Amino acid sequence: MVFAVDLTFYAALMLYVAAAVAMGLYLRRGDVLLTGFASRFVLAGGLLLSVTFALRWVMWGRLPLTTMADGLNLFIIMATAIVLYMSNRHQGVDRALLCFYTPPLVLLYAVNAVLAFGDLHREPKALNGAFLAVHVGLAVLAYALFFVASVTSIAYVFQARSLKRLHTVGLFQKLPSLEQLDRTLYHLIAFGYVFFAITLVLGLIWAYIAADELSARWWLSAKIVRAFFMVALYSTAFHGRRMGRLRGQKLAYLVFVGFAVMLGGYLALGLLNLQDYNFWSAHR
Amino acid sequence: MSVVVVGLSHNTSPVELRERLHFPESQLPAAVLKLRKHLNDAGVVILSTCNRVEVYASTAGPPNGAFTDIRGFLSEWHNLPEEEFASALYEHANRDAVGHLFRVASSLDSMVVGEGQILGQVHDAYLASQAEQGTDKIISALFQRAFSVAKDVRSRSNISAGKVSVGSVAVDLAVSIFMDLAGKTVMVIGSGKMGELTLKNLVSRGASQVLLVNRTREKAELLAERLHGEAVALEALPEHLHRADIVITSTGAREYLLTPAIFERALKRRANAPIFVIDIAVPRNVHPAVNSLDNVYLYDIDSLQQVADNNLDARRKEIARCLEIVEAGVTQFWQWHQGLIAEPTIVSMAEELHAIRERELEKTLAALPDLSEKQRDEVAYMSKRIVNTILQRPMTQLKREVVREDPHIVLHLVKRLFGLREVP
């Protein structure tokens, strides 16, 4: 079983790398067949990683969500599903977006493979009930939406800057319109924000119920502070866009920088092994 | 069998000569019939567009004879002495002719490289010939392959990406900014011809509302009536700017009509939704600093020209890659075509072996009179299977060898080996 976990994990990594290479070639050669290959590689990679996740679940008899590797695995699976949905709309004309989506996915996967590989052989700690599983699952889904939003924001800035600088050849011609990217960005932020807000409310309810198990200042832990920062940031982005105050490149920059800070914080807390970085340890 | 092309194009002849050799659509059927008579019922296609006149044919004789016949046909049909156009003609045979057609259909030989019209024109020319029973097996296969190579070139390269004329660049850019032009509002300031043309292009792509701004309300109303839009007086322009998704300016004003401050106010009122501004006036009507505003995309006439030039350059850079795709298509077609040379020999070889089989089968069945009907059928079926299995490899190999080696030597050897009669 351990071998199968390793095999599916690394095979999936290879497929993501192959997808990124296919998109790189597509940028050079413009052959649309390559985008089809890339899309299939990403799909196969996502499915294989889901098998890794399922194997870990079967192996230990509990949902593997409490290690950094498991968290990132679920995150990549969800991000993959969103990316595939986004890049296959409109009869696949949005597939050029994979040029933006695949490299960060590969990067995240590589970070996971290098830094958290040991976790794959470790027993995941048990979550304190199904309530927390929903809390964690929704949080990861929200992170995945924010991740895809941040990459979409790069695509938006790329398109907007190309238009301003009259550089309207190559990738520019293959990407969706600015208006479509803006709308996509808005929807991603909106869904991410709503899911994250629900996650936060669920977390607060759980903290209230399990108050005895938590320290008096649990809300000052790095993880909770980061969560509140994220809510504030995406609330600004969502409401700003909804009211039309934040739109275009400004919104794109905010979303991108916000996610970069959030991801940096997550990895830093995880790598430095600071208390409360993991999902299970909040109730220590 | 040879494949030939004789023709002239924008690369080899002036428009005056192309006009004289042009085949109007109404004359094509008669021309196809007459050309076939000239070429002893060969398969033919006449491609006649504003940039080229070409005759494609598959003939049984050598290419030189076909070249002469086609030149004679062109001279006779157009009543033009051969000397007047012979120097402008190009003549290609076999692989070169196939490559030429594939390049033409893929728009690599067009005046505007990568334009999409030529493929449709080649298709129409083929259909016109087909309607007169002017095509044969080779011409049909050649043109079908040309269509598939052309589609391959378009989908596997950037040869057709981006527009290359100023008018269509504006529409192309609008589509890059807006998801869909349907429901978008276009504001036209001034009454220039180019502004009107750009507006018509945008409306044909779905832009539904039109605001027409002019110095006087009366002139604006006249324009609005003609172009089915809403009239706006020039002094009211800042008040209406927020309604426009696309602004086209082409007035003779000496000073800037639209400044960053006016756009900032408009953006605020339209919740920062993007505005695409096409300033085709000289001197310009929109202050260049407007382009530094987020969500405003300003293009003047020079910028549009630059975008068109960039697109054309990008297309030209793709030509080498497209030629690789074309070359692969030519090789594939030519292998199939060369394989056809072996077909009569293969048929003759199969007939010879089956004749031997039947003779031997007859003798065997005569020696075994007690066999039931079912058993006799079984033996006959087995003998057929054996001969077909024996034939399979030499047939495949022969088709390959006639492409690789001198087909006459290969076929002669096979005929000697199997004692076949000389086949035509």
Side-chain angles (χ1 to χ4, degrees), chain A residues 29-32 156 160 163-164 166 168-169 172-174 177-180 183 244-245 247-250, chain B residues 155-156 158 161-162 175-179 184 271-272 291 293-297 299 306-307 310-311 321:
Chain A
R29 304 170 69 95
D31 187 342
V32 285
Y156 184 94
L163 273 166
K164 292 268 186 194
L166 310 181
T168 56
V169 291
F172 171 85
Q173 290 162 334
K174 301 177 195 329
S177 65
L178 273 183
E179 194 182 33
Q180 192 181 323
R183 203 171 283 189
R245 298 262 168 92
R247 199 168 181 162
Q249 293 195 66
K250 279 181 196 144
Chain B
S155 69
R156 293 175 56 196
N158 296 318
V175 174
S176 302
I177 295 168
F178 303 107
M179 202 156 76
K184 293 288 181 264
N272 284 306
N291 198 37
L293 294 174
D294 203 8
N295 298 315
V296 180
Y297 301 92
Y299 287 79
Q306 194 183 325
V307 170
N310 289 349
N311 288 345
R321 254 186 44 64

Short mmCIF file of all heavy atoms in Angstrom, two decimals, chain A residues 29-32 156 160 163-164 166 168-169 172-174 177-180 183 244-245 247-250, chain B residues 155-156 158 161-162 175-179 184 271-272 291 293-297 299 306-307 310-311 321:
data_model
loop_
_atom_site.label_atom_id
_atom_site.label_comp_id
_atom_site.label_asym_id
_atom_site.label_seq_id
_atom_site.Cartn_x
_atom_site.Cartn_y
_atom_site.Cartn_z
N ARG A 29 4.89 26.79 -30.28
CA ARG A 29 4.46 26.31 -31.60
C ARG A 29 3.03 26.68 -31.97
O ARG A 29 2.67 26.64 -33.15
CB ARG A 29 4.61 24.78 -31.66
CG ARG A 29 6.01 24.31 -31.34
CD ARG A 29 6.05 22.81 -31.17
NE ARG A 29 5.83 22.14 -32.42
CZ ARG A 29 6.78 21.71 -33.22
NH1 ARG A 29 8.03 21.88 -32.87
NH2 ARG A 29 6.51 21.11 -34.34
N GLY A 30 2.20 26.96 -30.97
CA GLY A 30 0.81 27.35 -31.26
C GLY A 30 -0.07 26.20 -31.69
O GLY A 30 -1.15 26.42 -32.22
N ASP A 31 0.38 24.96 -31.52
CA ASP A 31 -0.38 23.79 -31.94
C ASP A 31 -1.47 23.49 -30.91
O ASP A 31 -1.17 23.10 -29.77
CB ASP A 31 0.58 22.61 -32.08
CG ASP A 31 -0.08 21.39 -32.68
OD1 ASP A 31 -1.33 21.33 -32.67
OD2 ASP A 31 0.65 20.51 -33.17
N VAL A 32 -2.75 23.65 -31.31
CA VAL A 32 -3.84 23.49 -30.33
C VAL A 32 -3.97 22.06 -29.82
O VAL A 32 -4.51 21.83 -28.73
CB VAL A 32 -5.21 23.92 -30.89
CG1 VAL A 32 -5.33 25.40 -30.96
CG2 VAL A 32 -5.50 23.29 -32.23
N TYR A 156 -5.09 38.13 -16.19
CA TYR A 156 -5.77 39.40 -16.44
C TYR A 156 -4.75 40.53 -16.64
O TYR A 156 -4.82 41.30 -17.60
CB TYR A 156 -6.71 39.75 -15.28
CG TYR A 156 -7.51 41.00 -15.54
CD1 TYR A 156 -8.78 40.92 -16.10
CD2 TYR A 156 -6.98 42.26 -15.29
CE1 TYR A 156 -9.50 42.07 -16.39
CE2 TYR A 156 -7.68 43.41 -15.58
CZ TYR A 156 -8.94 43.31 -16.12
OH TYR A 156 -9.65 44.45 -16.43
N ALA A 160 -4.19 42.82 -19.88
CA ALA A 160 -4.37 44.28 -19.81
C ALA A 160 -3.08 45.00 -20.21
O ALA A 160 -3.11 45.98 -20.97
CB ALA A 160 -4.79 44.68 -18.40
N LEU A 163 -2.44 44.82 -23.93
CA LEU A 163 -3.28 45.78 -24.66
C LEU A 163 -2.71 47.19 -24.56
O LEU A 163 -2.68 47.93 -25.53
CB LEU A 163 -4.70 45.77 -24.09
CG LEU A 163 -5.64 44.72 -24.67
CD1 LEU A 163 -6.87 44.58 -23.80
CD2 LEU A 163 -6.06 45.08 -26.08
N LYS A 164 -2.26 47.54 -23.37
CA LYS A 164 -1.71 48.89 -23.18
C LYS A 164 -0.41 49.07 -23.95
O LYS A 164 -0.11 50.16 -24.43
CB LYS A 164 -1.44 49.13 -21.69
CG LYS A 164 -2.69 49.20 -20.83
CD LYS A 164 -3.20 50.60 -20.69
CE LYS A 164 -4.36 50.68 -19.71
NZ LYS A 164 -5.06 51.94 -19.81
N LEU A 166 0.51 47.49 -26.69
CA LEU A 166 0.32 47.11 -28.10
C LEU A 166 1.00 45.79 -28.44
O LEU A 166 1.33 45.53 -29.60
CB LEU A 166 0.85 48.19 -29.05
CG LEU A 166 0.43 49.63 -28.82
CD1 LEU A 166 1.02 50.53 -29.88
CD2 LEU A 166 -1.08 49.74 -28.85
N THR A 168 0.10 42.64 -28.96
CA THR A 168 -1.11 41.81 -29.06
C THR A 168 -0.91 40.58 -29.95
O THR A 168 -1.78 40.22 -30.71
CB THR A 168 -2.27 42.66 -29.60
OG1 THR A 168 -1.84 43.21 -30.86
CG2 THR A 168 -2.65 43.77 -28.66
N VAL A 169 0.25 39.97 -29.83
CA VAL A 169 0.48 38.73 -30.59
C VAL A 169 0.74 37.58 -29.61
O VAL A 169 0.81 37.79 -28.40
CB VAL A 169 1.68 38.87 -31.57
CG1 VAL A 169 1.37 39.82 -32.68
CG2 VAL A 169 2.93 39.31 -30.82
N PHE A 172 -1.43 36.38 -26.11
CA PHE A 172 -2.52 37.34 -25.98
C PHE A 172 -3.72 36.93 -26.84
O PHE A 172 -4.86 37.00 -26.42
CB PHE A 172 -2.03 38.74 -26.40
CG PHE A 172 -3.15 39.75 -26.51
CD1 PHE A 172 -3.58 40.44 -25.39
CD2 PHE A 172 -3.79 39.98 -27.72
CE1 PHE A 172 -4.62 41.35 -25.49
CE2 PHE A 172 -4.83 40.88 -27.82
CZ PHE A 172 -5.24 41.57 -26.70
N GLN A 173 -3.41 36.49 -28.07
CA GLN A 173 -4.49 36.17 -29.01
C GLN A 173 -5.24 34.90 -28.63
O GLN A 173 -6.32 34.65 -29.14
CB GLN A 173 -3.90 36.00 -30.41
CG GLN A 173 -3.43 37.32 -30.99
CD GLN A 173 -2.48 37.13 -32.15
OE1 GLN A 173 -1.80 36.12 -32.25
NE2 GLN A 173 -2.41 38.11 -33.02
N LYS A 174 -4.65 34.11 -27.76
CA LYS A 174 -5.29 32.83 -27.42
C LYS A 174 -6.10 32.89 -26.12
O LYS A 174 -6.91 32.02 -25.85
CB LYS A 174 -4.22 31.75 -27.28
CG LYS A 174 -3.39 31.56 -28.53
CD LYS A 174 -2.32 30.55 -28.29
CE LYS A 174 -1.24 30.54 -29.31
NZ LYS A 174 -1.56 30.90 -30.65
N SER A 177 -11.16 37.09 -23.33
CA SER A 177 -11.19 38.56 -23.27
C SER A 177 -11.01 39.04 -21.83
O SER A 177 -11.23 38.29 -20.87
CB SER A 177 -12.52 39.06 -23.80
OG SER A 177 -13.55 38.62 -22.95
N LEU A 178 -10.65 40.32 -21.70
CA LEU A 178 -10.48 40.92 -20.37
C LEU A 178 -11.78 40.83 -19.57
O LEU A 178 -11.76 40.51 -18.37
CB LEU A 178 -10.14 42.40 -20.53
CG LEU A 178 -8.68 42.78 -20.70
CD1 LEU A 178 -8.56 44.28 -20.76
CD2 LEU A 178 -7.83 42.23 -19.58
N GLU A 179 -12.89 41.09 -20.24
CA GLU A 179 -14.18 41.09 -19.54
C GLU A 179 -14.48 39.69 -18.98
O GLU A 179 -14.94 39.55 -17.86
CB GLU A 179 -15.28 41.51 -20.52
CG GLU A 179 -16.58 41.85 -19.83
CD GLU A 179 -17.68 42.22 -20.84
OE1 GLU A 179 -17.70 41.67 -21.95
OE2 GLU A 179 -18.51 43.06 -20.49
N GLN A 180 -14.15 38.68 -19.77
CA GLN A 180 -14.40 37.31 -19.31
C GLN A 180 -13.49 36.95 -18.13
O GLN A 180 -13.92 36.34 -17.17
CB GLN A 180 -14.19 36.33 -20.45
CG GLN A 180 -14.71 34.95 -20.11
CD GLN A 180 -14.47 33.98 -21.23
OE1 GLN A 180 -14.57 34.35 -22.39
NE2 GLN A 180 -14.15 32.75 -20.90
N ARG A 183 -14.81 38.66 -15.08
CA ARG A 183 -16.01 37.99 -14.55
C ARG A 183 -15.62 36.69 -13.83
O ARG A 183 -16.13 36.39 -12.76
CB ARG A 183 -16.96 37.69 -15.71
CG ARG A 183 -18.37 37.52 -15.27
CD ARG A 183 -19.28 37.44 -16.46
NE ARG A 183 -19.53 38.73 -17.07
CZ ARG A 183 -20.43 38.93 -18.02
NH1 ARG A 183 -21.14 37.94 -18.49
NH2 ARG A 183 -20.63 40.13 -18.51
N GLY A 244 -18.09 47.92 -7.77
CA GLY A 244 -17.42 48.55 -8.91
C GLY A 244 -16.29 49.48 -8.53
O GLY A 244 -15.71 50.15 -9.37
N ARG A 245 -15.92 49.50 -7.26
CA ARG A 245 -14.82 50.38 -6.85
C ARG A 245 -13.47 49.75 -7.21
O ARG A 245 -12.50 50.43 -7.51
CB ARG A 245 -14.87 50.61 -5.33
CG ARG A 245 -16.12 51.30 -4.86
CD ARG A 245 -15.85 52.79 -4.67
NE ARG A 245 -17.09 53.52 -4.49
CZ ARG A 245 -17.63 53.76 -3.30
NH1 ARG A 245 -17.03 53.33 -2.21
NH2 ARG A 245 -18.74 54.45 -3.21
N ARG A 247 -11.75 47.19 -9.65
CA ARG A 247 -11.96 46.43 -10.87
C ARG A 247 -10.70 46.53 -11.72
O ARG A 247 -9.93 47.46 -11.58
CB ARG A 247 -13.14 47.03 -11.63
CG ARG A 247 -13.74 46.11 -12.63
CD ARG A 247 -15.05 46.68 -13.10
NE ARG A 247 -15.66 45.78 -14.06
CZ ARG A 247 -16.93 45.81 -14.39
NH1 ARG A 247 -17.73 46.68 -13.84
NH2 ARG A 247 -17.42 44.97 -15.26
N GLY A 248 -10.52 45.58 -12.57
CA GLY A 248 -9.36 45.65 -13.47
C GLY A 248 -8.08 45.26 -12.78
O GLY A 248 -8.06 44.38 -11.91
N GLN A 249 -6.99 45.94 -13.16
CA GLN A 249 -5.67 45.54 -12.67
C GLN A 249 -5.54 45.70 -11.16
O GLN A 249 -4.85 44.92 -10.51
CB GLN A 249 -4.60 46.35 -13.37
CG GLN A 249 -4.51 46.00 -14.86
CD GLN A 249 -3.24 46.52 -15.49
OE1 GLN A 249 -2.15 46.08 -15.16
NE2 GLN A 249 -3.38 47.47 -16.39
N LYS A 250 -6.21 46.71 -10.59
CA LYS A 250 -6.09 46.92 -9.14
C LYS A 250 -6.62 45.70 -8.39
O LYS A 250 -5.99 45.21 -7.44
CB LYS A 250 -6.89 48.16 -8.73
CG LYS A 250 -6.13 49.45 -8.97
CD LYS A 250 -6.95 50.64 -8.51
CE LYS A 250 -6.37 51.90 -9.12
NZ LYS A 250 -7.37 52.87 -9.49
N SER B 155 -4.77 25.14 -37.49
CA SER B 155 -4.98 24.79 -36.09
C SER B 155 -3.67 24.51 -35.36
O SER B 155 -3.60 24.60 -34.14
CB SER B 155 -5.91 23.58 -35.97
OG SER B 155 -5.26 22.43 -36.45
N ARG B 156 -2.61 24.18 -36.11
CA ARG B 156 -1.37 23.82 -35.44
C ARG B 156 -0.31 24.92 -35.51
O ARG B 156 0.86 24.69 -35.21
CB ARG B 156 -0.83 22.52 -36.01
CG ARG B 156 -1.74 21.34 -35.67
CD ARG B 156 -1.29 20.08 -36.33
NE ARG B 156 0.09 19.79 -35.97
CZ ARG B 156 0.85 18.91 -36.64
NH1 ARG B 156 0.37 18.28 -37.66
NH2 ARG B 156 2.08 18.69 -36.26
N ASN B 158 0.22 29.62 -35.58
CA ASN B 158 -0.42 30.92 -35.34
C ASN B 158 -0.57 31.72 -36.63
O ASN B 158 -0.67 32.94 -36.61
CB ASN B 158 0.42 31.74 -34.35
CG ASN B 158 0.48 31.07 -33.01
OD1 ASN B 158 -0.52 30.56 -32.51
ND2 ASN B 158 1.66 31.04 -32.41
N ALA B 161 -3.56 33.98 -36.77
CA ALA B 161 -3.90 34.74 -35.56
C ALA B 161 -3.76 36.24 -35.79
O ALA B 161 -2.83 36.68 -36.45
CB ALA B 161 -2.99 34.30 -34.42
N GLY B 162 -4.69 37.01 -35.24
CA GLY B 162 -4.61 38.47 -35.31
C GLY B 162 -4.96 39.01 -36.68
O GLY B 162 -4.65 38.41 -37.69
N VAL B 175 -12.95 42.70 -29.33
CA VAL B 175 -13.29 41.34 -28.90
C VAL B 175 -12.32 40.85 -27.82
O VAL B 175 -12.67 40.02 -26.99
CB VAL B 175 -13.31 40.38 -30.13
CG1 VAL B 175 -13.52 38.95 -29.73
CG2 VAL B 175 -14.40 40.81 -31.10
N SER B 176 -11.10 41.37 -27.83
CA SER B 176 -10.13 40.99 -26.79
C SER B 176 -10.46 41.64 -25.46
O SER B 176 -10.03 41.18 -24.41
CB SER B 176 -8.72 41.43 -27.17
OG SER B 176 -8.35 40.86 -28.37
N ILE B 177 -11.20 42.75 -25.52
CA ILE B 177 -11.55 43.45 -24.28
C ILE B 177 -12.90 42.96 -23.76
O ILE B 177 -13.04 42.67 -22.57
CB ILE B 177 -11.57 44.97 -24.51
CG1 ILE B 177 -10.15 45.46 -24.84
CG2 ILE B 177 -12.09 45.71 -23.27
CD1 ILE B 177 -10.08 46.88 -25.35
N PHE B 178 -13.86 42.86 -24.68
CA PHE B 178 -15.21 42.47 -24.26
C PHE B 178 -15.50 41.02 -24.64
O PHE B 178 -15.10 40.56 -25.70
CB PHE B 178 -16.25 43.39 -24.90
CG PHE B 178 -16.01 44.84 -24.59
CD1 PHE B 178 -15.52 45.71 -25.54
CD2 PHE B 178 -16.24 45.32 -23.31
CE1 PHE B 178 -15.28 47.03 -25.25
CE2 PHE B 178 -16.00 46.66 -23.01
CZ PHE B 178 -15.52 47.51 -23.98
N MET B 179 -16.19 40.35 -23.72
CA MET B 179 -16.51 38.94 -23.92
C MET B 179 -17.34 38.76 -25.18
O MET B 179 -17.15 37.85 -25.95
CB MET B 179 -17.30 38.47 -22.70
CG MET B 179 -17.26 37.00 -22.48
SD MET B 179 -17.57 36.63 -20.77
CE MET B 179 -19.29 36.87 -20.62
N LYS B 184 -23.36 45.80 -26.48
CA LYS B 184 -22.41 46.86 -26.16
C LYS B 184 -22.82 48.17 -26.86
O LYS B 184 -23.45 48.15 -27.92
CB LYS B 184 -21.00 46.47 -26.61
CG LYS B 184 -20.42 45.31 -25.82
CD LYS B 184 -20.06 45.73 -24.41
CE LYS B 184 -19.47 44.60 -23.61
NZ LYS B 184 -20.44 43.89 -22.77
N ALA B 271 -18.98 52.18 -12.90
CA ALA B 271 -18.41 51.19 -11.97
C ALA B 271 -17.12 50.58 -12.53
O ALA B 271 -16.88 49.37 -12.43
CB ALA B 271 -19.43 50.09 -11.67
N ASN B 272 -16.29 51.42 -13.12
CA ASN B 272 -14.98 51.03 -13.63
C ASN B 272 -15.01 49.95 -14.71
O ASN B 272 -14.00 49.27 -14.94
CB ASN B 272 -14.06 50.59 -12.49
CG ASN B 272 -13.54 51.77 -11.72
OD1 ASN B 272 -12.97 52.70 -12.30
ND2 ASN B 272 -13.76 51.77 -10.41
N ASN B 291 -4.68 56.84 -21.75
CA ASN B 291 -4.29 55.43 -21.81
C ASN B 291 -3.65 54.94 -20.51
O ASN B 291 -3.57 53.74 -20.26
CB ASN B 291 -3.32 55.20 -22.98
CG ASN B 291 -3.23 53.73 -23.35
OD1 ASN B 291 -4.23 53.02 -23.29
ND2 ASN B 291 -2.05 53.27 -23.69
N LEU B 293 -4.89 55.47 -17.65
CA LEU B 293 -5.96 55.16 -16.68
C LEU B 293 -6.25 53.66 -16.72
O LEU B 293 -6.30 53.06 -17.80
CB LEU B 293 -7.24 55.92 -17.04
CG LEU B 293 -7.22 57.45 -16.92
CD1 LEU B 293 -8.54 58.02 -17.45
CD2 LEU B 293 -7.01 57.86 -15.47
N ASP B 294 -6.45 53.09 -15.54
CA ASP B 294 -6.83 51.68 -15.46
C ASP B 294 -8.21 51.53 -16.11
O ASP B 294 -9.09 52.37 -15.93
CB ASP B 294 -6.89 51.27 -13.98
CG ASP B 294 -6.70 49.78 -13.82
OD1 ASP B 294 -6.39 49.11 -14.82
OD2 ASP B 294 -6.85 49.29 -12.68
N ASN B 295 -8.40 50.48 -16.87
CA ASN B 295 -9.68 50.14 -17.52
C ASN B 295 -10.04 51.02 -18.72
O ASN B 295 -11.17 50.96 -19.20
CB ASN B 295 -10.84 50.16 -16.52
CG ASN B 295 -10.64 49.12 -15.43
OD1 ASN B 295 -10.27 48.00 -15.72
ND2 ASN B 295 -10.84 49.51 -14.18
N VAL B 296 -9.10 51.85 -19.18
CA VAL B 296 -9.34 52.55 -20.44
C VAL B 296 -8.24 52.11 -21.41
O VAL B 296 -7.06 52.13 -21.06
CB VAL B 296 -9.28 54.09 -20.28
CG1 VAL B 296 -9.54 54.77 -21.63
CG2 VAL B 296 -10.31 54.57 -19.28
N TYR B 297 -8.64 51.70 -22.60
CA TYR B 297 -7.69 51.22 -23.60
C TYR B 297 -7.80 52.11 -24.82
O TYR B 297 -8.79 52.07 -25.54
CB TYR B 297 -7.96 49.75 -23.93
CG TYR B 297 -7.85 48.90 -22.69
CD1 TYR B 297 -8.96 48.64 -21.88
CD2 TYR B 297 -6.60 48.44 -22.26
CE1 TYR B 297 -8.84 47.93 -20.70
CE2 TYR B 297 -6.48 47.73 -21.08
CZ TYR B 297 -7.60 47.47 -20.31
OH TYR B 297 -7.47 46.79 -19.13
N TYR B 299 -6.44 53.64 -28.41
CA TYR B 299 -5.66 53.35 -29.62
C TYR B 299 -5.86 54.48 -30.62
O TYR B 299 -7.00 54.80 -30.97
CB TYR B 299 -6.11 52.03 -30.25
CG TYR B 299 -5.65 50.83 -29.46
CD1 TYR B 299 -6.33 50.45 -28.32
CD2 TYR B 299 -4.54 50.12 -29.84
CE1 TYR B 299 -5.89 49.38 -27.57
CE2 TYR B 299 -4.09 49.04 -29.10
CZ TYR B 299 -4.78 48.67 -27.97
OH TYR B 299 -4.34 47.62 -27.22
N GLN B 306 0.29 49.84 -35.91
CA GLN B 306 1.38 49.06 -35.31
C GLN B 306 0.90 47.65 -34.93
O GLN B 306 1.61 46.68 -35.14
CB GLN B 306 1.90 49.78 -34.05
CG GLN B 306 3.23 49.20 -33.59
CD GLN B 306 3.73 49.85 -32.31
OE1 GLN B 306 3.51 51.05 -32.12
NE2 GLN B 306 4.36 49.07 -31.46
N VAL B 307 -0.32 47.58 -34.40
CA VAL B 307 -0.88 46.26 -34.05
C VAL B 307 -1.02 45.41 -35.31
O VAL B 307 -0.64 44.22 -35.33
CB VAL B 307 -2.25 46.41 -33.34
CG1 VAL B 307 -2.94 45.06 -33.19
CG2 VAL B 307 -2.08 47.06 -31.98
N ASN B 310 2.42 44.30 -36.35
CA ASN B 310 2.92 43.25 -35.44
C ASN B 310 2.30 41.91 -35.78
O ASN B 310 2.98 40.87 -35.79
CB ASN B 310 2.56 43.58 -33.98
CG ASN B 310 3.36 44.73 -33.45
OD1 ASN B 310 4.33 45.16 -34.07
ND2 ASN B 310 2.97 45.26 -32.29
N ASN B 311 0.99 41.94 -36.06
CA ASN B 311 0.29 40.69 -36.38
C ASN B 311 0.83 40.08 -37.67
O ASN B 311 1.03 38.86 -37.75
CB ASN B 311 -1.22 40.95 -36.53
CG ASN B 311 -1.88 41.23 -35.19
OD1 ASN B 311 -1.30 40.96 -34.15
ND2 ASN B 311 -3.08 41.75 -35.22
N ARG B 321 7.36 27.11 -39.91
CA ARG B 321 6.72 25.98 -39.23
C ARG B 321 5.58 25.41 -40.07
O ARG B 321 5.37 24.20 -40.15
CB ARG B 321 6.17 26.43 -37.88
CG ARG B 321 6.99 25.94 -36.73
CD ARG B 321 6.38 26.27 -35.40
NE ARG B 321 4.94 26.04 -35.32
CZ ARG B 321 4.37 24.86 -35.41
NH1 ARG B 321 5.09 23.78 -35.57
NH2 ARG B 321 3.07 24.73 -35.32
#
